[in-house]
Amino acid sequence: MENVLRPLIVIGGSVVLTLVVGWLADRLLRRTDARHRDTPLWGLLRRCRIPLNLVLLTAILRGSYDEIKWHPVQEHRAGLGQCLTLVLIGASSWLVVRIATAVVESSYTRYASSTRDPARVRRVRTQVTLIQRVVSAIVIVVAVAAMLLTFPAMRAAGASLLASAGIVGIVAGVAAQSTLGNLFAGLQIAFGDMVRIGDTVVVDGEWGVVEEITLTYLAVRTWDERRLTMPVSYFTSKPFQNWSRGGVQMTGTVFFHLDHSAPLPLMRERLTLILKECPAWDGRDFSLTVTDTTPSTIEVRAVVTAKDADDIWTVRVTVREQMVAWLCAEHPYALPRITTSSRSPRTEDRDGFGHEPPPFRPAIEDGRERP
């Protein structure tokens, strides 16, 4: 009877104790979060309930499984202890990652709510995202190393591994040169403030918004919802356009190729009306000037402004569409046109009396000689 009750008491008591401690911790975090609404940390820490319960349960079982005098448990005592140790290490690393994520997200949320500069918010968001990834990678590597060191064979091989660490490091560095280059490039991007999540960039002629930055690659979402995945080392070794650098306000141009008789004063008045009715125009500036001329046309440039890259695109297409439609309806003569006419006979082709010469006919027609 004791062999049956003892396992139930040990396992059941561990589960009950884990649930009680987890419930108390969750209740404490809930009350703290209700008192400090301006600090989102306590609410984010409630996401750690599952890994916390797993750590508590595994730790209690790891310390009390020897008290189970059941024959199957005693027979596989070493293997059971090894499994509980591995689970405890994995659950602890999971808990550490969750806590670090909660702290990082809480810091970013508080900073974003108190800062009005969008560029600074994007910069901090990029940095905290990469910091979170680095911390997670370090915790996972340490956890895997700790799991391997729990095996006696691994501990015995530790001395030989340390002895050959120099050679292995050189070989690994040469083999993973590209990977390590991307890793350091990712850290350089995060803290060098070259590109941030949410920035509008032009890469290889593609316009898009930076959607994700990791330690090895960077994802750009184009205007047509495609995703460009590029190694982060590209942005540290090649030039690219960052339209969000130094402010998000943009200036755009619209070009028209028109006839020399185009009514420029009326076009300026029409441009003013178009911009006043366009919500995307920020009202900062606009102009319309002739920038070039050819024997058949003139080049007219309209300059407009907007608060960001998305709005400047909207303003440009609106001005282009409405201005062309207005010219077609009100001033069609201003549109470029090509003048063609039939060729008149040259003076030297006429005879002495001013008459055109007769059309040429061959000397032989249909196999017969022409008279």
Side-chain angles (χ1 to χ4, degrees):
M1 189 66 179
E2 183 180 357
N3 292 335
V4 177
L5 292 177
R6 189 180 293 268
L8 292 177
I9 293 174
V10 172
I11 297 176
S14 300
V15 173
V16 171
L17 183 59
T18 299
L19 293 177
V20 171
V21 174
W23 180 79
L24 291 176
D26 182 69
R27 188 174 181 82
L28 179 61
L29 290 175
R30 185 181 302 177
R31 287 189 175 183
T32 307
D33 183 47
R35 294 177 181 177
H36 303 84
R37 291 293 184 181
D38 56 335
T39 304
L41 175 62
W42 310 110
L44 294 174
L45 286 177
R46 295 186 59 199
R47 301 178 183 177
C48 305
R49 294 191 301 270
I50 297 178
L52 176 62
N53 291 337
L54 185 58
V55 168
L56 291 175
L57 180 60
T58 308
I60 295 173
L61 290 176
R62 182 64 180 83
S64 60
Y65 81 101
D66 286 338
E67 300 299 328
I68 302 177
K69 304 301 182 180
W70 197 23
H71 177 70
V73 175
Q74 296 297 325
E75 185 177 357
H76 301 87
R77 176 180 177 183
L80 184 60
Q82 183 73 17
C83 291
L84 290 174
T85 301
L86 295 177
V87 174
L88 180 60
I89 294 175
S92 299
S93 62
W94 186 13
L95 179 61
V96 171
V97 170
R98 282 291 183 89
I99 293 175
T101 302
V103 173
V104 169
E105 290 185 4
S106 174
S107 302
Y108 168 73
T109 303
R110 294 188 63 182
Y111 183 84
S113 61
S114 60
T115 304
R116 297 182 179 180
D117 188 356
R120 291 181 177 271
V121 173
R122 291 198 303 269
R123 176 183 179 182
V124 173
R125 180 184 176 187
T126 303
Q127 292 178 352
V128 298
T129 300
L130 290 180
I131 290 175
Q132 178 181 342
R133 294 180 185 274
V134 170
V135 171
S136 300
I138 293 175
V139 171
I140 291 174
V141 170
V142 172
V144 172
M147 289 180 180
L148 293 177
L149 290 177
T150 58
F151 296 93
M154 289 295 178
R155 290 197 300 267
S160 60
L161 289 176
L162 290 176
S164 59
I167 300 176
V168 174
I170 295 175
V171 174
V174 174
Q177 182 178 3
S178 177
T179 303
L180 292 176
N182 285 327
L183 176 62
F184 288 111
L187 296 177
Q188 184 177 355
I189 285 177
F191 297 98
D193 197 26
M194 291 185 297
V195 61
R196 298 156 295 198
I197 296 176
D199 281 2
T200 302
V201 296
V202 178
V203 182
D204 284 343
E206 295 282 355
W207 178 92
V209 179
V210 178
E211 189 175 49
E212 183 180 8
I213 299 178
T214 68
L215 295 178
T216 56
Y217 70 89
L218 187 146
V220 179
R221 186 184 75 253
T222 61
W223 64 273
D224 55 355
E225 299 299 330
R226 290 181 293 117
R227 300 304 191 275
L228 300 179
T229 303
M230 311 184 71
V232 292
S233 58
Y234 176 91
F235 293 86
T236 59
S237 59
K238 296 183 180 180
F240 64 95
Q241 298 182 37
N242 189 341
W243 290 6
S244 301
R245 182 76 176 183
V248 296
Q249 294 178 341
M250 299 289 297
T251 299
T253 57
V254 182
F255 288 95
F256 302 95
H257 294 276
L258 305 174
D259 189 79
H260 291 83
S261 60
L264 296 179
L266 296 179
M267 290 182 63
R268 293 187 179 95
E269 295 178 2
R270 185 62 185 178
L271 178 62
T272 304
L273 297 177
I274 293 174
L275 293 177
K276 287 182 178 180
E277 297 176 358
C278 181
W281 182 54
D282 62 355
R284 287 191 295 124
D285 190 19
F286 75 94
S287 65
L288 189 142
T289 55
V290 178
T291 57
D292 196 6
T293 181
T294 66
S296 58
T297 62
I298 60 174
E299 183 184 72
V300 179
R301 185 189 67 180
V303 177
V304 294
T305 59
K307 63 181 180 64
D308 55 30
D310 293 335
D311 283 353
I312 197 64
W313 172 263
T314 304
V315 175
R316 290 175 62 192
V317 297
T318 302
V319 169
R320 185 182 296 112
E321 177 182 353
Q322 296 191 17
M323 185 67 74
V324 171
W326 176 75
L327 289 174
C328 291
E330 302 293 337
H331 305 278
Y333 62 88
L335 300 177
R337 55 190 185 273
I338 300 176
T339 303
T340 59
S341 62
S342 60
R343 178 180 175 270
S344 60
R346 295 177 299 177
T347 304
E348 57 267 25
D349 292 339
R350 301 176 183 268
D351 57 12
F353 299 94
H355 299 151
E356 298 180 14
F360 172 78
R361 291 186 297 170
I364 298 177
E365 296 180 351
D366 300 329
R368 295 177 297 175
E369 184 177 356
R370 180 173 58 83

